[in-house]
Amino acid sequence: MFAAIESILNRQDKALDLMLELLEEEFSLLMERDTDTIMTLEFSIHELLRQLANEKESIIRTLGGGRLRDYAEMLSQDKKEVILSLWLSIDQKEQHCARQASLNTRLSLGLLDQSKDLLNYLHERIIPPQRTSYCRNGAYAKLHPQATVFSGHF
């Protein structure tokens, strides 16, 4: 059982190393605004998250719903140190990945707001400020509300 848990924890530890690399690459791509590459990278990140969730579930199944720290307390000192050091490493890497993901989210939302503001500005500049125009007889045409169902004279 120890070997199975140790291998699961090792896989989680290595997967979190890869996750951090992917998140840092995503950040650099966000800075470059390379949206096509970001989209392909997002699929890799989501797949890695799914695999990490499966690994965590397999630890829970292996321990029968028990806690890893409780299991580690029952082991000999050297095995206990191995398990707890892996657990601590995983915890630190998860926190580091969470901080990087938060930074990526803030940057992407900032870029979204900036793009939206620019689009609104351009849209306002394209539309003429006054909607008055001349009709056939040379006078100003009367403006009709946008939601008119009937037009013409009764």
Side-chain angles (χ1 to χ4, degrees):
M1 186 162 152
F2 171 77
I5 290 176
E6 183 186 19
S7 67
I8 292 170
L9 289 175
N10 276 323
R11 283 193 301 269
Q12 283 182 7
D13 192 49
K14 299 301 179 204
L16 286 168
D17 287 335
L18 177 60
M19 177 66 73
L20 185 58
E21 286 180 28
L22 291 175
L23 289 171
E24 288 171 350
E25 182 179 349
E26 181 185 37
F27 183 78
S28 67
L29 291 171
L30 282 168
M31 294 295 285
E32 296 170 7
R33 297 181 183 182
D34 187 0
T35 54
D36 293 334
T37 311
I38 291 172
M39 292 303 294
T40 58
L41 189 62
E42 280 295 317
F43 287 117
S44 300
I45 290 172
H46 287 285
E47 177 62 25
L48 187 57
L49 280 173
R50 186 190 64 76
Q51 291 174 4
L52 276 167
N54 287 340
E55 292 294 333
K56 285 185 177 261
E57 288 174 4
S58 67
I59 284 254
I60 292 170
R61 280 193 311 271
T62 304
L63 292 173
R67 295 181 49 187
L68 186 64
R69 290 189 70 121
D70 294 339
Y71 170 73
E73 292 298 324
M74 296 185 301
L75 298 173
S76 63
Q77 188 63 30
D78 57 336
K79 290 182 179 181
K80 175 182 173 181
E81 289 176 6
V82 168
I83 295 292
L84 290 180
S85 67
L86 281 170
W87 179 75
L88 184 61
S89 173
I90 289 169
D91 185 51
Q92 290 172 348
K93 289 177 183 179
E94 282 178 347
Q95 290 176 18
H96 194 78
C97 286
R99 284 191 296 274
Q100 185 66 43
S102 176
L103 186 64
N104 291 2
T105 301
R106 284 187 284 158
L107 179 60
S108 64
L109 290 176
L111 291 172
L112 174 69
D113 289 343
Q114 185 181 31
S115 297
K116 190 173 106 179
D117 290 344
L118 178 62
L119 186 63
N120 287 340
Y121 172 76
L122 291 174
H123 186 69
E124 289 171 3
R125 299 300 298 167
I126 291 172
I127 297 174
Q130 295 180 343
R131 296 182 181 227
T132 56
S133 60
Y134 293 102
C135 62
R136 278 189 248 164
N137 59 5
Y140 280 115
K142 294 181 182 178
L143 293 175
H144 297 287
Q146 294 289 67
T148 327
V149 177
F150 299 105
S151 64
H153 300 285
F154 289 110

